[in-house]
Structure formats: C-alpha cells, structure tokens
C-alpha cells in the first residue's frame, strides 16, 4: 500500500498537513527522527500512518494517561482494534491479558512509569518493535518545562529492545532541549524537522490591569464578550474554582473547572462535555489540554502569568486548530511575576527536604514520608530519581543533589524573567517569540498583537458587539430588526 492510499482510506484525509509528509517519509526509511511541530498540526499521524506500512509494532511512550486513552479511542473510531494503552488505568485482569498478547498489537501506548515495571522490558523483548516513538520528548530534558526523570532511561531501554528506529516528537523546545533529546535518546544522525512555533491565526494580546479585583471584573467582561468556546488558564486550583463561581454568579453559562485535584472520572466527564459543546468555558490549570482534540477553541486566556514561554505557547496553541481567527489574552497586573517565581521553588525540594529524604527514606514508607516532609508530586519524583542513582557516600550524594537543585532553580527563575521581559517589551510579541526560538521569518497577520495592529472586537460574539456599539435600547432594537431582515436565521 502507498502512503496516500492509507491517508485517504484509513484516516479519511485527502492531503497531508504541513510537515507531516516529510516526517513520515523519513520514518518509512527507518531513520531516527526528531520533529518539532506546533500543537494542533497532527503529530500522531506521523507514527500512526507508518504503523500501516511497516511490519511489527509501533511502541509509543507518552507521559499522560488521558492522552493515551484518547489516542486509543480515536484509533478505534477508524476501525483499529489492535491498539492498547498500558497504564495504571487498566485493571489488573485486562493488563494481564494484554501482556500475554503483546505481539498482536499494532500500536502499544505506554507510560514511562509502566515501562520501568518489573518484567515489562522482558515482555517487550518478545515483540517485534518497528518504531520507538517518544511523545512530548521535551520531558527528557531537565531544561524542559515538564521534566520527567523517568524519561532519562529511554535511551537505554531502546537499546535493550534492539534499537528500533526512533521518532521523537515535541511541540515546543528551544535548542538546548533539542540537544538533550538527541543525547539522551541516543539518536543516530537524526533527521531533524523543526517547524515554526508561530501560529498566524492566533492574535496575541497582553491585557493590563492594576489590581486583583480589576482583573476579576475584566475577566468577566472578556468571557461575556468573546466568541466561545474558550479556555482560561490559572496557576492555582483554588482560584480556578473561585472564578467558575464568580462567572456563574454573573450569568455565564456552561462553565466548569478542570484541574489535577479533581478525580479522574470527573476530569474525563468535563473534558467530554467540553468536546461535545455542552460546556463553553473551562477554567483550568495546566493539567488540561494535552490530548484535547477540539478544533474550534476561539480564545485562550491566561489569568496568571505562566512560568515560561514554552508552556505559554503550548497552551495558547490549543486555540484555532481549525485555522480560524482566534485570540490569546494574557492578563497582567503589577507583581504577577511573584507567583511563578514562588512556584518554581515549590516544584523542587528544599534543602532540608533533601537532607531528610536521603537520611530517612529507607526507614519509612512513601506515604508517611510525603506527609511528614510535605512533598509535592514533582518534589517526590525529583528526590526518588536522584536517590535511585545514589551509589556512594550519602553526604556526597546529598551535596550533589543540592547543586543540581540550585542549577535547575536558577534556570527556572531565568525562564520566569524571560517571560516577564516578553510582557514588558514594546516590540512585536510574535517577533520576540520567534527570536527566542531562534527563527527569523514570521508572518505578520492583520491582527498580530497588542503592540502592532489589533482589534479585540473582531473576536466578540456578534450580538455582544452590537450591544456594545449602542447603549440606547431603541438603536439596539433597530439593529436587531435590521439584522433579522438581512439574515433571517
Ligand atoms: Zn505583532
């Protein structure tokens, strides 16, 4: 079969999207590939399509359970039954059954944690793996915004599995992160496909307010006026919940919260309702988004300042996947940089936590330790990883880990200031972004950013637009009548 035939008959597309074909060609030639494609450009096709043209199983390592489930469901919709997601979500009976029949699958999605489970690699050795896919590959880099220590061993695991060709996929990664990906995955002369991070159909705007209260009021106005659906990102679960209440109290309908503190079922329900247009607005933390295949998101608002340009881009990239005009609004009030600065520290264990963990983790169980040392999930992940690497003298190891912590903290803090400078700058926002990513060319859309040319009312719901133009009710009424005549719908 030819790739175009698979594209049409299996996936129902008449042509490739920007970048896909070149990547697929390289994958089919069994070369190692590193591909950076902006969110929403159809990354998964780059390994799913080859899955039908090469013999053997495609193994996909993915950091997010919801993302895997979603992919397996999407494949089922196009008639693919030989796809499975191996993660903690699968009950033990189903898992045991799947493990016995691993070599019958065309696509196996697996989380890095599950890969490290005892016996897993041995099982996978019996499968003929034709392609080793690493999704969200930036997680491998300690400079990446979602560093996952589990990812660091993927290079060795690939070698254990007979070194099948690798495809590393990411949406946003600056050069240092891309270098880490190549290094840790042990890619051999990889073919690199780096596509622009610029999304011309998303207008970028900073909305300045003076106080927290003003921000809250302005958010309400924006949500009322803007075309929906939309996502509002928060750095705090509590504030996300509060804003849902605030919006509801003020008449905004079909709005709900989504964050990591909610249980899995609730989260899946909210996500489904949003996908089915039963919800219009989601107040979310960064837990929301990866794997949410919704094309018509018209706005993404950041209520809090993101900690780095990469995660900001990834989040605004969820708007306008259908290619239609969309808007990204970042709300800023003086001092907003303090929250991401605080959060950077919170993600890493403090010095006393490092001391306590290394000295007592063999004596106590994990649950007690987490409670006693008040460890967050990311702090625990960090400590566990470096404890396992522990070989020699414990004091020496503690000092080493403290140095690593300092380095990472400095890096994160610098990232926050990079974001801050971007907000404060008076240069075109789009131009600055592509410069940060080492690119030169960019499109200058009619609605570019708040520094260039921009008219927010282009993104208003039509009726609201009319209401705003006229405060007199008779004018409004007349306009509505006229509108009815022109457009009887
Ligand atoms: Zn601009």
């Amino acid at each position: 079969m030819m790739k175009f035939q698979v594209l049409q008959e299996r996936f129902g597309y008449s042509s490739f999207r920007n970048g896909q074909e070149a990547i697929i060609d390289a994958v089919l030639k069994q070369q190692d590939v590193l591909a950076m494609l902006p969110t929403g450009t159809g990354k998964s096709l780059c390994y799913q399509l080859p899955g039908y043209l090469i013999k053997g199983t495609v193994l996909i390592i993915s950091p997010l359970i919801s993302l895997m489930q979603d992919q397996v469901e999407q494949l089922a919709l196009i008639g693919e039954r030989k796809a499975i997601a191996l993660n903690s979500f699968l009950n033990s009976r189903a898992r045991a059954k799947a493990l016995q029949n691993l070599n019958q699958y065309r696509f196996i999605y697996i989380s890095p944690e599950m890969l490290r489970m005892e016996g897993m690699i041995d099982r996978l050795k019996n499968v003929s793996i034709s392609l080793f896919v690493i999704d969200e590959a930036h997680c491998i880099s300690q400079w990446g915004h979602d560093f996952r220590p589990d990812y660091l061993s993927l290079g060795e695991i690939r070698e254990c599995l007979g070194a099948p060709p690798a495809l590393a996929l990411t949406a946003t990664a600056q050069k240092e992160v891309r270098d880490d990906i190549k290094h840790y995955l042990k890619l051999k002369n990889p073919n690199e496909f780096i596509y622009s991070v610029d999304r011309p159909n998303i207008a970028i705007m900073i909305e300045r307010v003076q106080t927290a209260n003003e921000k809250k009021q302005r958010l309400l106005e924006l949500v009322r006026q803007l075309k929906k659906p939309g996502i509002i990102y928060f750095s705090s679960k509590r504030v996300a919940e509060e804003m849902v209440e605030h919006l509801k109290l003020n008449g905004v309908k079909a709005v709900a919260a989504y964050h990591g503190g909610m249980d899995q079922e609730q989260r899946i329900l909210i996500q489904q309702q949003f996908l089915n247009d039963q919800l219009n607005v989601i107040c979310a933390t960064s837990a929301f988004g990866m794997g949410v295949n919704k094309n018509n998101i018209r706005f993404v608002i950041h209520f809090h300042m993101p900690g780095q340009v990469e995660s900001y881009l990834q989040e605004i990239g969820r708007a306008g996947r259908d290619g239609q005009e969309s808007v990204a609004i970042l709300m800023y009030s003086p001092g907003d940089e303090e929250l991401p600065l605080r959060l950077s520290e919170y993600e890493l264990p403090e010095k006393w936590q490092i001391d306590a963990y290394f000295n007592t983790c063999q004596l106590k169980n994990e649950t007690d330790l987490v409670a006693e040392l008040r460890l967050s999930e990311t702090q625990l992940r960090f400590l566990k990883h470096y404890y396992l690497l522990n070989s020699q003298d414990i004091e020496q190891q503690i000092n080493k880990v403290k140095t690593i912590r300092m380095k990472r903290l400095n890096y994160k803090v610098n990232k926050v200031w990079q974001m801050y400078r971007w907000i404060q700058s008076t240069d075109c926002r789009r131009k600055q972004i592509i410069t940060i990513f080492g690119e030169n060319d960019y499109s200058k859309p009619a609605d570019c950013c708040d520094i260039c040319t921009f008219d927010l009312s282009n993104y208003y719901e039509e009726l609201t637009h009319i209401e705003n133009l006229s405060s007199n009710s008779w004018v409004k009424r007349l306009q509505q009548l006229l509108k009815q005549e022109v457009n009887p719908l």
Side-chain angles (χ1 to χ4, degrees):
M1 270 229 274
M2 296 281 294
K3 65 185 178 202
F4 283 106
Q5 202 181 343
V6 180
L7 183 71
Q8 285 163 6
E9 289 174 9
R10 184 53 80 161
F11 294 94
Y13 298 121
S14 53
S15 62
F16 286 108
R17 284 204 243 168
N18 191 21
Q20 287 175 332
E21 192 178 359
I23 295 168
I24 288 170
D25 284 343
V27 167
L28 290 175
K29 282 185 198 147
Q30 305 208 302
Q31 291 164 335
D32 283 350
V33 176
L34 166 60
M36 184 176 114
L37 282 162
T39 350
T41 44
K43 281 191 290 169
S44 51
L45 191 85
C46 298
Y47 58 82
Q48 286 175 353
L49 190 145
Y52 291 95
L53 293 170
I54 47 183
K55 276 203 183 109
T57 300
V58 179
L59 182 71
I60 306 111
I61 292 102
S62 169
L64 274 165
I65 296 176
S66 61
L67 191 89
M68 287 188 224
Q69 296 294 128
D70 187 65
Q71 292 284 331
V72 171
E73 279 164 32
Q74 299 274 332
L75 283 166
L77 286 177
I78 60 164
E80 182 51 77
R81 304 260 155 236
K82 293 190 283 181
I84 190 159
L86 293 175
N87 53 47
S88 49
F89 214 46
L90 209 62
N91 68 45
S92 55
R93 224 180 106 224
R95 194 194 296 170
K97 200 178 155 219
L99 287 179
Q100 266 167 11
N101 301 301
L102 273 187
N103 51 9
Q104 292 179 13
Y105 291 101
R106 193 190 296 273
F107 300 104
I108 300 176
Y109 288 84
I110 190 166
S111 61
E113 292 83 0
M114 193 62 90
L115 256 184
R116 286 173 70 148
M117 255 181 52
E118 219 185 302
M120 186 57 85
I121 300 294
D122 287 333
R123 299 247 185 207
L124 286 169
K125 275 184 185 164
N126 296 323
V127 180
S128 112
I129 292 164
S130 52
L131 181 61
F132 190 88
V133 183
I134 307 94
D135 203 8
E136 312 296 339
H138 57 266
C139 294
I140 207 169
S141 168
Q142 59 169 325
W143 312 126
H145 51 285
D146 294 315
F147 175 52
R148 304 271 297 235
D150 281 316
Y151 262 60
L152 286 174
S153 49
L154 291 181
E156 271 92 56
I157 291 176
R158 178 162 86 108
E159 285 184 340
C160 275
L161 297 175
L167 168 62
L169 293 164
T170 181
T172 44
Q174 292 183 26
K175 192 175 172 300
E176 60 216 325
V177 175
R178 301 204 288 261
D179 288 343
D180 269 3
I181 294 174
K182 287 185 269 182
H183 172 72
Y184 287 111
L185 287 174
K186 304 176 196 274
L187 300 185
K188 293 173 207 93
N189 306 317
N191 255 298
E192 286 187 62
F193 298 94
I194 311 298
Y195 293 93
S196 176
V197 290
D198 183 33
R199 295 274 306 277
N201 66 319
I202 303 175
I204 302 170
M205 178 192 179
I206 310 271
E207 175 84 31
R208 283 169 200 280
V209 289
Q210 285 314 309
T211 63
N213 211 29
E214 199 186 317
K215 201 192 245 187
K216 205 168 140 183
Q217 288 317 311
R218 183 66 186 131
L219 179 72
L220 175 64
E221 278 172 30
L222 286 170
V223 172
R224 278 182 176 157
Q225 289 168 326
L226 291 170
K227 265 186 216 143
K228 291 167 218 23
I231 308 174
I232 310 163
Y233 278 106
F234 297 84
S235 301
S236 146
K237 297 169 193 168
R238 184 180 53 81
V239 180
E241 301 255 8
E242 279 172 13
M243 286 304 141
V244 169
E245 289 315 307
H246 175 65
L247 294 173
K248 275 187 182 164
L249 276 174
N250 287 284
V252 178
K253 290 188 187 75
V255 50
Y258 183 107
H259 55 71
M262 292 158 54
D263 67 51
Q264 184 91 11
E265 270 169 50
Q266 230 181 332
R267 279 156 64 174
I268 290 174
L269 180 72
I270 299 287
Q271 190 172 314
Q272 280 310 321
Q273 288 179 328
F274 187 59
L275 290 175
N276 298 334
D277 298 321
Q278 290 158 299
L279 286 171
N280 259 334
V281 179
I282 299 285
C283 292
T285 59
S286 58
F288 184 75
M290 276 203 219
V292 177
N293 277 315
K294 194 169 172 64
N295 282 331
N296 61 341
I297 294 170
R298 295 278 73 91
F299 71 80
V300 171
I301 296 176
H302 280 83
F303 190 82
H304 292 127
M305 180 179 146
Q308 43 176 290
V309 180
E310 287 91 334
S311 37
Y312 172 73
L313 280 183
Q314 201 152 20
E315 285 163 3
I316 70 167
R318 295 188 178 121
R321 293 190 181 180
D322 53 7
Q324 303 290 310
E325 302 300 306
S326 313
V327 64
I329 302 172
L330 191 156
M331 307 190 82
Y332 178 83
S333 60
D336 275 3
E337 55 282 3
E338 280 161 32
L339 181 62
L341 285 171
R342 262 208 322 272
L343 288 173
S344 327
E345 264 200 75
Y346 185 67
E347 281 169 23
L348 293 160
E350 289 178 42
K351 287 179 185 153
W352 68 269
Q353 288 171 313
I354 298 175
D355 283 322
Y357 185 89
F358 271 74
N359 285 313
T360 57
C361 75
Q362 287 222 295
L363 311 168
K364 292 174 183 167
N365 76 40
E366 197 172 290
T367 325
D368 291 345
L369 214 56
V370 166
E372 208 174 290
L373 303 181
R374 298 194 301 273
L375 293 172
S376 70
E377 202 187 313
T378 42
Q379 288 172 331
L380 176 68
R381 218 188 275 150
F382 179 93
L383 287 169
K384 254 168 110 171
H385 174 71
Y386 288 107
Y387 187 80
L388 290 175
L389 291 184
N390 180 16
S391 45
Q392 351 79 15
D393 178 49
I394 194 121
E395 281 309 313
Q396 230 177 345
Q397 185 70 5
I398 289 177
N399 285 333
K400 213 170 107 191
V401 172
K402 283 181 182 168
T403 315
I404 295 171
R405 172 195 178 270
M406 263 326 286
K407 265 196 191 161
R408 290 205 56 205
L409 186 60
N410 280 338
Y411 182 81
K412 277 169 169 281
V413 167
N414 284 334
K415 284 285 181 186
V416 176
W417 290 120
Q418 184 180 47
M419 187 79 208
Y420 177 80
R421 285 194 300 275
W422 179 76
I423 292 171
Q424 301 299 349
S425 166
T426 51
D427 208 359
C428 169
R429 311 230 177 258
R430 203 174 293 275
K431 185 177 156 205
Q432 287 183 72
I433 287 174
I434 65 134
T435 310
I436 289 173
F437 280 84
E439 300 175 28
N440 303 314
D441 296 328
Y442 70 109
S443 53
K444 191 130 197 137
D447 271 346
C448 179
C449 67
D450 57 313
I451 303 285
C452 303
T453 49
F454 182 66
D455 181 359
L456 187 60
S457 67
N458 289 342
Y459 304 87
Y460 289 170
E461 254 164 352
E462 271 165 47
L463 206 67
T464 328
H465 189 38
I466 291 166
E467 277 169 15
N468 279 349
L469 285 174
S470 54
S471 47
N472 292 333
S473 63
W474 69 269
V475 178
K476 206 187 292 176
R477 196 156 149 60
L478 186 63
Q479 276 174 331
Q480 272 168 356
L481 282 172
L482 285 172
K483 197 179 170 224
Q484 269 168 20
E485 224 175 83
V486 180
N487 178 6
L489 289 176

